[in-house]
């Protein structure tokens, strides 16, 4: 499934999101050389099967390191619900690991889609993936 693909990409990101526990220095560790680069590069609206109105997808750029360089980036489309599924799955996966960092907060669902709110959401989703 799409959520599983996004989860695998993020799980392979080697550097789980930095700890948000109080007392954290806020410094991020550099991801391992084999970790993919994940960036939320935009948003795309599409109408689906005659639905009234458009459905929004976030465009995620994924580039895997290959022999010291990054392969050609690939773009994947993901709904906000895919990020919710990823967060739920990661929460379950790391719950049993006492030394695992806490996951950052996933940005809340938007009810009003202004340009400003969407730009902020894009930055928040990208920060979540790192």
């Amino acid at each position: 499934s799409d959520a599983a693909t996004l989860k695998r990409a993020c799980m392979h990101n080697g550097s789980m999101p930095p700890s948000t526990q109080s007392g954290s220095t806020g410094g991020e560790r550099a991801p391992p050389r084999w970790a993919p680069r994940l960036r939320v590069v935009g948003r795309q609206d599409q109408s689906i099967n005659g639905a009234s109105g458009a459905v929004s997808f976030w465009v995620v750029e994924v580039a895997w390191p290959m022999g010291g360089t990054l392969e050609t980036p690939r773009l994947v489309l993901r709904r906000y619900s895919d990020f919710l599924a990823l967060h739920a799955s990661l929460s379950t996966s790391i719950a049993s690991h006492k030394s695992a960092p806490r996951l950052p907060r996933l940005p809340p669902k938007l009810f009003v889609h202004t340009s400003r709110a969407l730009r902020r959401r894009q930055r928040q989703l990208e920060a979540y993936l790192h």
Side-chain angles (χ1 to χ4, degrees):
S1 79
D2 289 340
T5 302
L6 184 58
K7 177 185 175 189
R8 278 193 302 277
C10 292
M11 293 293 285
H12 288 297
N13 188 347
S15 66
M16 293 291 287
S19 174
T20 57
Q21 299 171 9
S22 61
S24 171
T25 62
E28 292 187 32
R29 292 178 293 157
R33 290 185 301 168
W34 52 264
R37 184 187 71 204
L38 301 169
R39 293 183 357 174
V40 179
V41 295
R43 188 177 60 85
Q44 183 175 356
D45 294 331
Q46 295 181 0
S47 56
I48 300 200
N49 297 334
S52 62
V55 175
S56 293
F57 289 87
W58 293 98
V59 181
V60 179
E61 180 184 83
V62 181
W64 291 91
M66 302 292 280
T69 62
L70 290 174
E71 74 172 11
T72 301
R74 296 174 189 209
L75 300 178
V76 295
L77 301 179
R78 295 295 179 255
R79 302 273 322 266
Y80 178 74
S81 59
D82 294 321
F83 286 92
L84 285 173
L86 171 66
H87 186 78
S89 181
L90 288 173
S91 295
T92 301
S93 295
I94 68 170
S96 62
H97 301 302
K98 291 180 175 42
S99 63
R102 290 186 348 182
L103 291 175
R105 282 189 160 139
L106 193 60
K109 184 166 180 62
L110 291 177
F111 294 101
V112 178
H113 294 149
T114 64
S115 296
R116 183 177 176 177
L118 291 169
R119 284 192 306 271
R120 184 174 60 243
R121 163 63 60 83
Q122 180 177 339
R123 288 189 307 271
Q124 291 169 330
L125 291 174
E126 184 163 345
Y128 180 83
L129 291 176
H130 292 143

